Amino acid sequence: MSVTVSVRRAALPAAVLAALLIPSAPAQAAGASVTATVETAPVSHSGDAADDPAIWVHPTDPAKSVVVATDKKGALEVYDMTGARIQRISGDYGNNVDLRGNIVVSADDEAAGGNGAMHVYRIDPGTRKLTLLKDVPTEVTAHGICLYSSPVSGRLYAFPNSTSGRVEQWELAVSGNSVTATSVRLWDAGSAVEGCYADDTTGKLYLGEEDVGVWIYGAEPTAGTGRSRLDSTGSGGHITADTEGITAAGNRIFVSSQGSNDFTVYDRTSHAYLGRFSVANGTAADDCEDTDGIDATAADLGPAFPQGVFVCQDGSNGSPGTSGNQNFKFVPLQRITANFG
């Protein structure tokens, strides 16, 4: 196994935009309510431990798909579609995790006890378990992360980002057990960032500035640092800080509005705001509250999720009046999309 690392820095913006001064958003109107059909085994550590999920679709048997998720106090966990844990990797302090194909990357959060690097894994379709290929040190102290498979070049990129507001783009080339990593872009988004989603179809990068809202950048390494706004936490916005997880499935974008315990929904093409939903207590699983990371896919995941799944981290696991170690909830995607056309 080998890793080659080189760094090429981009110029930082001259000033932080005035949008950083936007006030907190007002209370949001109630939206749709859905329930989960599956919840995972709780993570092993207590307190604020679970954070971010990533859905891996099995290439030949959709029912054997898995969810890779973080226990940022010291483990990366792999769950099957019934919520059962099939692997626990100790010593990974990943705050966020993402994947493309069989490559999984976690951001080993230094604030939680990690080394601030990217951990690059490969998932074996036969065992559905992860094998560590390499740690890749980054210029920023990795906190959040998302991956991007370029429709232009076919290359794989990672976007580690930090609570300082700095964001970096790395090209990752994996051949066998060898990982070559090259930094291709570095910029300052403003204040603390974490949640991000890179769209392999449109070439857009959605980055959550926690107290401000969601920005749209270009995901290609030559895109520069120009940006537009998807939505904000300020007056006229629809997100209640913190802005945390961001994902997309089908023709919808989803954002975790952590302060209001629900999720905002946007059109993937026009970026129009379509409404919001919450994950409520149900007969099979309790609700999702104070949610950090989310993920979704419209792919067939077998009989339990034939039209896809939405996965949310639950920051307060347990039935009303009780609380246990945090975990993740699985919602059939059609329960959500039926409310938004």
Side-chain angles (χ1 to χ4, degrees), residues 175-319:
S175 178
N177 290 334
S178 176
V179 179
T180 301
T182 306
S183 180
V184 295
R185 191 164 44 144
L186 176 66
W187 76 96
D188 193 337
S191 58
V193 293
E194 179 182 347
C196 64
Y197 172 76
D199 195 325
D200 298 347
T201 303
T202 64
K204 298 184 183 300
L205 170 68
Y206 300 86
L207 181 67
E209 194 175 358
E210 292 188 357
D211 294 330
V212 176
V214 179
W215 297 104
I216 307 171
Y217 293 85
E220 290 296 322
T222 57
T225 57
R227 64 185 184 179
S228 60
R229 189 193 306 272
L230 175 70
D231 205 346
S232 74
T233 62
S235 177
H238 304 95
I239 303 169
T240 303
D242 286 351
T243 299
E244 290 283 352
I246 307 171
T247 190
N251 58 357
R252 302 291 179 250
I253 297 170
F254 307 105
V255 176
S256 173
S257 177
Q258 190 179 58
S260 53
N261 292 320
D262 61 1
F263 310 92
T264 51
V265 184
Y266 311 85
D267 185 273
R268 196 168 180 174
T269 302
S270 70
H271 296 141
Y273 171 73
L274 301 177
R276 60 199 318 111
F277 70 94
S278 60
V279 177
N281 289 306
T283 57
D286 65 298
D287 60 359
C288 272
E289 298 180 278
D290 196 31
T291 296
D292 282 314
I294 59 177
D295 199 12
T297 180
D300 174 11
L301 300 179
F305 301 99
Q307 297 179 53
V309 69
F310 175 87
V311 180
C312 51
Q313 179 261 5
D314 182 8
S316 181
N317 182 36
S319 57

Side-chain angles (χ1 to χ4, degrees), residues 29-50:
S33 178
V34 299
T35 57
T37 57
V38 169
E39 62 178 311
T40 67
V43 298
S44 297
H45 292 97
S46 61
D48 184 21

Side-chain angles (χ1 to χ4, degrees), residues 143-159:
H143 181 67
I145 199 163
C146 56
L147 300 188
Y148 172 60
S149 181
S150 170
V152 177
S153 65
R155 295 175 180 174
L156 178 65
Y157 297 96
F159 291 92

